[in-house]
Amino acid sequence: MAILCIESSGNICSAALSLNNDEKVLSSIVSTTGEHASLLTSAINNVMSEAGIAYSALDAVAVSAGPGSYTGLRIGASTAKGICYANDVPLISIPTLETIAQEIFTKSTAEYALPMIDARRMEVYCAIIDRNFNYISETEAKILDESSFADTLSSHQVALGGSGAPKSKAVISSPNASFIDDAEAKALFMTPLAIKKFNNKDFADVAYFEPFYLKEYIAVVSKNKVLEEARKNS
């Protein structure tokens, strides 16, 4: 079985190829600067070339489903759909926070994972997930403060990771909280989640799949452009 995994929801752009139920996993990270449009294909080609298999040999393609960067998620989704269409293979969607949780659990013995994706200022996209990948708290956009997750942290060991975790250190001081500094959404950690969905035949609709953005995309217009438009209309 060969499953290609694509992750482009954040700063890291990566691809991984799981062979024979994770007996062999090939991984490629090509960008940490957000240049996903030009480099994602390189990451995919890297793992496919290293494995020495054709795209027609794939059994499925898994893609990060969000939340995360609007642009990054769109690039990943369109790339994954294109491969699925061209090779008539199913699409698997993996929630981004579960990918981060998978890495957290490989590096921590905590009961719960608290994956966080950095948003603006003190806001993060987050969820609390147990080791069976049940959601203790649902995915949400949350403003961090001293009382964040206090109920859970009062009685459970929780490991925090992801791009939003570093700023949580400033406000979360519970002895039950630990921090996994290098955990971030990477295709390598999608593979066990993708295999489980494949075995359960839990596939997304290739035609209608859309990433989960959590918040609507808002285009930001520069101040200079606003002033220029005002002068034209005056």
Side-chain angles (χ1 to χ4, degrees):
M1 180 169 64
I3 300 178
L4 175 65
C5 296
I6 296 170
E7 218 313 313
S8 58
S9 67
N11 290 328
I12 293 175
C13 177
S14 60
L17 183 65
S18 171
L19 301 170
N20 301 322
N21 287 306
D22 264 10
E23 285 185 9
K24 183 177 182 180
V25 180
L26 306 174
S27 176
S28 176
I29 297 175
V30 296
S31 174
T32 56
T33 59
E35 299 172 358
H36 299 347
S38 59
L39 295 176
L40 180 58
T41 302
S42 296
I44 295 169
N45 287 337
N46 287 345
V47 295
M48 295 297 291
S49 296
E50 186 176 351
I53 67 171
Y55 285 88
S56 58
L58 291 172
D59 292 287
V61 178
V63 67
S64 184
S69 160
Y70 179 90
T71 302
L73 289 170
R74 296 291 293 181
I75 292 168
S78 61
T79 302
K81 284 183 174 186
I83 296 171
C84 288
Y85 274 124
N87 298 280
D88 194 24
V89 295
L91 177 68
I92 299 170
S93 67
I94 305 293
T96 308
L97 292 174
E98 291 186 18
T99 298
I100 301 170
Q102 178 69 33
E103 181 172 5
I104 291 171
F105 284 136
T106 64
K107 299 177 178 180
S108 169
T109 59
E111 181 182 0
Y112 296 156
L114 206 174
M116 295 179 171
I117 297 171
D118 190 19
R120 62 183 65 188
R121 298 184 178 87
M122 287 303 289
E123 186 177 35
V124 295
Y125 302 149
C126 63
I128 301 176
I129 301 171
D130 71 14
R131 287 187 169 269
N132 292 317
F133 285 83
N134 298 310
Y135 280 68
I136 306 305
S137 70
E138 294 301 317
T139 301
E140 63 178 333
K142 189 175 185 68
I143 304 295
L144 297 174
D145 59 32
E146 291 79 2
S147 64
S148 296
F149 318 109
D151 289 346
T152 303
L153 287 167
S154 67
S155 55
H156 298 278
Q157 295 285 331
V158 181
L160 293 76
S163 60
K167 64 186 180 185
S168 70
K169 291 182 180 180
V171 293
I172 296 177
S173 57
S174 169
N176 283 332
S178 58
F179 299 88
I180 311 299
D181 292 333
D182 58 347
E184 197 163 342
K186 307 180 189 78
L188 174 64
F189 294 97
M190 293 173 67
T191 63
L193 305 172
I195 289 170
K196 182 178 179 180
K197 284 200 167 189
F198 182 88
N199 290 334
N200 291 334
K201 293 183 170 27
D202 185 359
F203 302 132
D205 188 308
V206 178
Y208 295 103
F209 169 74
E210 289 289 335
F212 171 51
Y213 301 112
L214 189 57
K215 285 189 173 184
E216 290 185 6
Y217 175 71
I218 300 174
V220 177
V221 180
S222 70
K223 181 179 178 181
N224 288 339
K225 188 171 183 179
V226 171
L227 293 174
E228 182 181 347
E229 290 297 324
R231 284 195 296 270
K232 287 180 180 179
N233 296 327
S234 62

